[in-house]
Amino acid sequence: MLFNSLHFLIFFPIVIGIYYLIPQKIRMYWLLAASYYFYMCWNAKYVILLLFSTVVTYVSGILLEKFAKNGGGGVKPKLCVAASFILNLSILFVFKYLNFGIESLNQIFAHLHIALNAPAVDLLLPVGISFYTFQALGYTVDVYRGEIYAEKNFFRYALFVSFFPQLVAGPIERSKNLLRQLDRPAKPSFDSLRDGFFLMLWGYFLKVVLADRIAVFVDTAYGDIETYTGVYLIVATLLFAVQIYCDFSGYSVIAMGAAKILGIQLMENFDSPYLAASVAEFWRRWHISLSSWFRDYLYIPLGGNRRGRVRKYVNLLVTFGVSGLWHGADWSYVIWGLLNGFWQVVGDVLKPVRKKIAGFLDIKEDSLSHKCIRVAATFFLVDLAWVFFRANTAFEALRIIKRMFTAKNHWVWFDGSLYECGLNQKNFSLMIWGILLLLAVDVCKYKNIRLRKVLARQDYWAQCLTVIVAVLGILVFGMWGVGYDAANFIYFQF
Amino acid sequence: MRKRAKGLFWGCMAAVFFAAGIRFVTNLTDPGYAYSKNREFVENSDVYDVLFFGNSHMANAVFPLELWDDYGMASYNLAGFGLRMPSVYWVVRHALSESEPELVVLDCHNVGAEEKTGRKEMLHAQMDHLPLSFDKIRMICDLVEDPGDRLEFVWNFAAYHDRWWDLDQADFEREVNIQKGAEIAVDVVTPDEMAERPVETVDVDSVGMEYLRRIVEECQSRDTEILLTYLPFPASEDEWAEALYVERIAREYRVPYVNFLDLQVVDLEVDCSDTNSHLNGSGGRKVTDYIGQYIHAHYEIADHRGDEAYADWDEDYRQYTEYKLGVMEQLETLDKYLMMLADPAFDCCIYVDGDAGIWQQNEIYMSLIDNIAGGKTEKLAQAVSQGEPYFLVVESVWGGGK
């Protein structure tokens, strides 16, 4: 069930209505049933994997606490964590990486002139498996570290793993935040309902007005790089950066809004990422729940930056390489991850040089102009890496980059040809206006101006008018309905 | 308490304005074809004595305002382009729930089809103007098999909302069909060969036949007379088969049936607007004339000419004639012009320069003039063959050239 499907628009009000009508004691069970239904709408059989992951991590939590009460230490807790990781990651491996492994082995052996020809396995990737697996594993580690108590109520824990707003594409919640709230959900208030509704509206705008409109241009250009070369690919690549942001942050914002209406506060997943002045800062603002997961459960356990510069760089590259692999079972994702790690390593290595140059040229590092240059440079580097993320293969990504810079068709900027790449002039203009609105909102957020709060302070008539105009705008300008196959959110595949 | 009342007030206001907004954008983005074609029927459905149903064959073939002029018959053409018999069934059902005609005339072309609907947009054109009702929901569930496709028929905004970039003056100043639902086709195309009439009637067991039975039963249950037709066009073997099988159904239900494939009402050489199916204005005029005579002879349909309640119809007919003249003014080729002249409403003078050559090179022109003059063109043909000029005066075509 997609957030932008009619199914969800019927499902969600029913869930809310019943949720607030029934006694608080049983609300959790209702949410759990709704969450499992939500997941089963995609593929009922695969709910068994969700349940398995839930049971394994629930039992591991109980055992870990028991070991801790018996004095802690020893090898048992570590074995318990290892067992939880192995069982969960095995499922993830089989469903997500097995074919990738087989294909890679076949290629390696082919290079050695050995025909291995191991057959691929016909398995459907369970939607959201990477998200809920990581969320459940995070819980295991948190209990192991003694940061939280193990959850005794199985149903509450099952709801923690399967809470439908964030089940299939995050944010990957921390047990410290979500479990506590599931135990004592906030009482409904007009303010929280309104805030949740505003969030959902903004999320729908990002998804159906912007992301899906941009996707038409990007898919057209990337789908035929022989015809759409040079400027088309440059524009498509610039737009893809916006598309994936709108798509993913749109989902996250809808998830946050839906959860808020249910009295649950999910963590922020994006914080004006394209206003970051360095790649490292970008990753502190982009997909925050995953970045912080890798930081807390991989980068820091690997030693973080505590074991010298070389080790820090290796840890960075390992973390981002794994992050790439988490996003997709293909070398292009690994390269994308490594590139992001590499930019950070290079940035760190060159930091003294940059400072010297800035000093020599009398450049004020805190000036707006300097900040703008850094933001633009960061965007360029991140966007270049996105090519590997979007292209079908790493080789295709290289071909695209080459064509972007070698094909000479600069007239395309001026002669209206851009309007022949899937979007006509009016749709293209609407997209540009939408992107400018997004930029303005992100700048406000960057400057700590919370527009939702500003709106909430206005008179009721102004709030009503804004909501009506926003909903009508989304309905008219959104990409939905006939000829539109409720496009999956990009991050569902991960 | 006061705060709650205020909240309730603003909530209600928001709901009202939101509903108004939704209605506005829904109407604005709707291309309005369905509403335009059948607006008159929707607004005043209880004045019609005869209703015509079917697909594009019927829409192009029977002109209600000609029937008004000839017989004072109040009729409306509710046929829709691309409709299959199941869709027609629902159109008939809806129309009979809104009106009480004396007679339903149903063309049975494509009754052998297995599918319930043709192209989606054609179904929209027939359905969009119907207000949402329990019956409409049933119609949608019956005709649209994929539940995922039903929303756009329940709320057509789902299909049209992305027309925002395509809106133009026509969307703000909607044209209305002034032909009482009919549509004159203006092309003149030499059609395909018609297949031989089969010797035997074969069983045609199809979804369309099932719905044809339902239509007949629906009419009979309401004591409404029904006349089945199979309009003329260059039929294929399969179409001959269904035309003949309809005869069996007509006998079974004891309803009259006019199979135009067996009649020489039209001249397919000059009366077709495309290669294999539709009649142009000339062909439609002949079919209208025949059906008018048939109805006049077999049914007691009131002549409303001079009736105060139908005073508007004379004005409608005048506008319709002006519309036809307007269409002719827009035409750019001689064949279309000559085809449109084949209309009893017009007198015409045609000067033929027999020396010009085009008359010998384009046989169709001579056929079209022959069509205007009701076959009385021997002298003209003689003049052309001798390369001499000829001046043909036709007072009301088919009345005879002089």
Side-chain angles (χ1 to χ4, degrees):
Chain A
M1 194 189 306
L2 298 167
F3 281 170
N4 55 335
S5 66
L6 179 66
H7 197 171
F8 181 77
L9 296 179
I10 295 169
F11 163 84
F12 188 56
I14 293 173
V15 171
I16 306 168
I18 295 178
Y19 181 76
Y20 283 121
L21 281 175
I22 58 181
Q24 183 144 6
K25 273 193 284 185
I26 57 170
R27 283 180 183 171
M28 180 181 73
Y29 302 101
W30 168 243
L31 275 189
L32 181 61
S35 297
Y36 268 71
Y37 171 78
F38 180 88
Y39 194 78
M40 287 165 76
C41 284
W42 169 75
N43 188 327
K45 282 183 292 186
Y46 278 14
V47 81
I48 201 81
L49 299 177
L50 176 65
L51 196 59
F52 178 80
S53 187
T54 305
V55 170
V56 167
T57 46
Y58 172 76
V59 172
S60 73
I62 298 285
L63 288 176
L64 283 168
E65 194 162 272
K66 195 176 163 191
F67 296 144
K69 278 182 183 165
N70 292 341
V75 78
K76 281 183 181 174
K78 285 180 180 164
L79 277 175
C80 187
V81 173
S84 177
F85 266 70
I86 289 168
L87 285 170
N88 277 288
L89 294 180
S90 299
I91 293 174
L92 188 60
F93 176 80
V94 168
F95 281 90
K96 190 166 178 175
Y97 300 106
L98 185 58
N99 280 332
F100 170 58
I102 291 170
E103 195 182 313
S104 299
L105 274 179
N106 282 339
Q107 284 174 357
I108 291 167
F109 277 89
H111 280 295
L112 299 171
H113 303 290
I114 301 168
L116 186 63
N117 291 336
V121 185
D122 185 19
L123 282 174
L124 190 63
L125 178 64
V127 69
I129 189 170
S130 303
F131 287 92
Y132 69 70
T133 302
F134 269 44
Q135 183 159 316
L137 288 177
Y139 164 80
T140 302
V141 176
D142 288 346
V143 177
Y144 171 74
R145 288 175 177 169
E147 292 177 4
I148 56 161
Y149 294 113
E151 176 58 58
K152 307 291 185 307
N153 186 324
F154 175 75
F155 297 105
R156 185 173 297 120
Y157 180 71
L159 177 58
F160 161 71
V161 179
S162 66
F163 184 50
F164 76 85
Q166 44 90 243
L167 172 59
V168 291
I172 302 170
E173 268 299 337
R174 299 306 177 82
S175 48
K176 276 173 279 191
N177 179 39
L178 187 55
L179 264 175
R180 179 184 50 79
Q181 293 188 72
L182 294 176
D183 193 22
R184 289 181 295 278
K187 284 185 180 172
S189 68
F190 174 73
D191 288 347
S192 67
L193 291 177
R194 179 180 53 193
D195 204 35
F197 185 66
F198 285 168
L199 275 169
M200 289 185 80
L201 270 185
W202 179 242
Y204 279 115
F205 168 77
L206 292 177
K207 171 62 182 165
V208 298
V209 178
L210 272 184
D212 291 342
R213 179 162 274 104
I214 296 171
V216 176
F217 188 99
V218 175
D219 291 349
T220 306
Y222 270 62
D224 183 5
I225 60 172
E226 302 298 327
T227 306
Y228 299 104
T229 186
V231 170
Y232 291 107
L233 289 173
I234 291 172
V235 175
T237 303
L238 290 171
L239 287 175
F240 179 67
V242 186
Q243 182 201 340
I244 194 163
Y245 174 42
C246 292
D247 194 283
F248 191 22
S249 74
Y251 184 93
S252 293
V253 169
I254 296 170
M256 282 172 66
K260 192 142 199 176
I261 289 173
L262 294 164
I264 307 287
Q265 177 78 46
L266 296 181
M267 68 187 293
E268 285 259 10
N269 218 10
F270 293 86
D271 185 12
S272 312
Y274 289 132
L275 296 179
S278 69
V279 177
E281 187 190 350
F282 171 81
W283 280 103
R284 287 193 295 273
R285 294 173 173 275
W286 176 273
H287 201 175
I288 297 166
S289 64
L290 180 72
S291 305
S292 59
W293 196 100
F294 276 118
R295 181 196 64 208
D296 294 347
Y297 302 120
L298 183 62
Y299 179 70
I300 291 174
L302 283 172
N305 57 4
R306 304 184 305 274
R307 297 187 181 175
R309 294 192 87 175
V310 176
R311 182 62 188 270
K312 174 188 165 185
Y313 296 150
V314 171
N315 290 344
L316 257 178
L317 290 172
V318 168
T319 304
F320 276 89
V322 173
S323 169
L325 203 56
W326 179 91
H327 281 84
D330 197 287
W331 289 112
S332 58
Y333 289 107
V334 178
I335 293 171
W336 167 76
L338 287 172
L339 258 181
N340 274 288
F342 179 71
W343 299 145
Q344 292 178 64
V345 170
V346 171
D348 203 54
V349 168
L350 294 180
K351 200 172 180 179
V353 180
R354 279 187 286 129
K355 276 193 178 293
K356 273 191 181 177
I357 292 173
F360 178 74
L361 296 174
D362 270 348
I363 294 170
K364 292 175 191 147
E365 289 196 39
D366 55 351
S367 67
L368 180 65
S369 53
H370 185 64
K371 179 82 194 296
C372 288
I373 295 290
R374 289 185 63 191
V375 167
T378 303
F379 181 83
F380 174 77
L381 294 174
V382 169
D383 200 19
L384 201 60
W386 282 132
V387 177
F388 287 88
F389 195 94
R390 175 60 182 79
N392 295 318
T393 63
F395 289 112
E396 187 184 280
L398 291 172
R399 273 208 306 279
I400 288 170
I401 292 171
K402 186 183 170 194
R403 282 175 170 275
M404 278 162 62
F405 297 108
T406 56
K408 306 288 182 207
N409 59 346
H410 303 302
W411 57 88
V412 169
W413 290 112
F414 308 102
D415 71 350
S417 302
L418 282 176
Y419 307 137
E420 289 160 15
C421 190
L423 293 179
N424 59 29
Q425 186 173 1
K426 288 178 185 170
N427 268 294
F428 197 91
S429 303
L430 178 72
M431 176 186 74
I432 297 296
W433 283 110
I435 293 171
L436 289 175
L437 176 64
L438 170 66
L439 182 66
V441 170
D442 267 10
V443 168
C444 288
K445 193 173 179 186
Y446 190 82
K447 292 188 169 295
N448 252 330
I449 302 167
R450 302 288 160 178
L451 292 175
R452 295 199 313 277
K453 286 186 179 168
V454 173
L455 183 57
R457 282 198 296 269
Q458 305 306 310
D459 290 337
Y460 281 134
W461 70 264
Q463 292 181 39
C464 290
L465 190 65
T466 308
V467 168
I468 290 169
V469 170
V471 175
L472 291 178
I474 291 168
L475 286 174
V476 172
F477 300 120
M479 307 285 278
W480 63 281
V482 177
Y484 173 71
D485 176 21
N488 272 340
F489 288 84
I490 293 177
Y491 263 67
F492 272 29
Q493 58 187 297
F494 310 131
Chain B
M1 189 66 191
R2 206 173 154 191
K3 198 178 172 184
R4 275 193 180 181
K6 276 184 189 173
L8 193 65
F9 171 76
W10 282 112
C12 292
M13 289 297 283
V16 167
F17 279 103
F18 181 67
I22 286 285
R23 190 179 163 83
F24 174 73
V25 292
T26 301
N27 289 339
L28 184 63
T29 52
D30 185 340
Y33 174 79
Y35 188 69
S36 300
K37 181 180 178 298
N38 295 328
R39 191 177 94 171
E40 277 199 63
F41 181 79
V42 172
E43 290 178 350
N44 204 8
S45 57
D46 55 353
V47 300
Y48 301 99
D49 294 327
V50 182
L51 295 177
F52 296 93
F53 297 93
N55 58 20
S56 49
H57 282 209
M58 179 60 98
N60 287 150
V62 179
F63 308 130
L65 282 167
E66 304 288 4
L67 294 175
W68 168 259
D69 188 51
D70 293 342
Y71 304 101
M73 205 181 284
S75 65
Y76 203 93
N77 193 331
L78 285 165
F81 287 81
L83 292 192
R84 302 293 186 266
M85 201 51 79
S87 314
V88 176
Y89 164 73
W90 287 101
V91 176
V92 171
R93 204 180 136 101
H94 176 75
L96 294 186
S97 69
E98 297 290 314
S99 62
E100 292 180 353
E102 300 287 327
L103 173 67
V104 160
V105 182
L106 172 68
D107 184 54
C108 300
H109 176 244
N110 228 341
V111 70
E114 286 297 340
E115 70 270 19
K116 286 188 172 180
T117 59
R119 281 162 42 203
K120 260 194 207 175
E121 50 270 39
M122 301 299 191
L123 197 57
H124 270 293
Q126 200 58 36
M127 224 184 247
D128 286 349
H129 68 290
L130 303 180
L132 191 60
S133 64
F134 183 62
D135 222 32
K136 183 171 180 178
I137 301 282
R138 282 181 63 194
M139 165 166 55
I140 292 165
C141 292
D142 180 42
L143 298 179
V144 186
E145 285 174 15
D146 182 354
D149 288 340
R150 288 176 187 160
L151 172 66
E152 61 176 284
F153 292 99
V154 174
W155 185 31
N156 60 36
F157 183 67
Y160 302 135
H161 72 93
D162 59 358
R163 283 192 66 244
W164 61 267
W165 59 268
D166 197 31
L167 296 177
D168 57 19
Q169 190 178 353
D171 289 290
F172 293 86
E173 297 169 3
R174 295 260 161 84
E175 282 187 10
V176 179
N177 178 303
I178 58 162
Q179 304 175 60
K180 305 275 184 204
E183 294 202 6
I184 296 176
V186 296
D187 288 321
V188 181
V189 174
T190 306
D192 296 339
E193 283 280 304
M194 188 188 281
E196 287 287 313
R197 188 187 201 282
V199 180
E200 290 181 5
T201 303
V202 294
D203 286 352
V204 181
D205 195 15
S206 65
V207 171
M209 286 293 178
E210 181 195 324
Y211 277 85
L212 171 60
R213 290 173 183 280
R214 288 173 69 175
I215 293 172
V216 175
E217 287 162 13
E218 182 76 28
C219 289
Q220 291 183 334
S221 72
R222 292 171 184 265
D223 287 333
T224 303
E225 299 266 18
I226 179 165
L227 164 64
L228 303 182
T229 65
Y230 204 92
L231 294 172
F233 71 101
S236 66
E237 277 181 33
D238 287 344
E239 285 158 336
W240 262 110
E242 64 181 23
L244 295 181
Y245 191 73
V246 171
E247 200 169 330
R248 275 201 208 168
I249 293 190
R251 272 203 303 274
E252 183 186 327
Y253 284 94
R254 297 172 187 277
V255 295
Y257 174 51
V258 180
N259 182 0
F260 280 87
L261 299 187
D262 276 335
L263 303 173
Q264 299 298 317
V265 173
V266 298
D267 175 359
L268 294 177
E269 190 193 352
V270 294
D271 289 335
C272 287
S273 69
D274 47 31
T275 53
N276 64 351
S277 52
H278 305 94
L279 295 178
N280 56 28
S282 164
R285 188 66 186 83
K286 290 171 190 171
V287 168
T288 304
D289 202 38
Y290 186 92
I291 286 187
Q293 287 176 31
Y294 186 93
I295 294 174
H296 189 63
H298 294 84
Y299 301 91
E300 289 181 7
I301 303 296
D303 181 348
H304 291 292
R305 285 174 293 189
D307 185 339
E308 194 64 28
Y310 289 80
D312 293 348
W313 283 64
D314 289 327
E315 172 60 16
D316 290 346
Y317 180 75
R318 193 191 61 72
Q319 283 186 13
Y320 166 71
T321 306
E322 273 183 15
Y323 167 78
K324 284 195 290 186
L325 287 168
V327 168
M328 287 169 74
E329 282 173 13
Q330 303 288 323
L331 297 177
E332 290 174 351
T333 58
L334 183 59
D335 55 348
K336 293 179 185 177
Y337 200 83
L338 290 173
M339 183 277 292
M340 287 296 286
L341 276 178
D343 188 324
F346 306 133
D347 300 333
C348 63
C349 308
I350 302 171
Y351 173 70
V352 176
D353 179 359
D355 208 19
I358 63 163
W359 309 104
Q360 289 87 352
Q361 290 156 18
N362 298 281
E363 287 180 13
I364 188 73
Y365 291 152
M366 290 305 290
S367 301
L368 286 163
I369 293 176
D370 199 52
N371 187 43
I372 296 169
K376 297 176 182 173
T377 53
E378 298 89 0
K379 289 181 185 170
L380 169 66
Q382 195 181 352
V384 167
S385 65
Q386 292 168 0
E388 292 173 357
Y390 194 85
F391 199 78
L392 179 74
V393 178
V394 184
E395 276 184 43
S396 183
V397 297
W398 304 327
K402 291 178 180 172

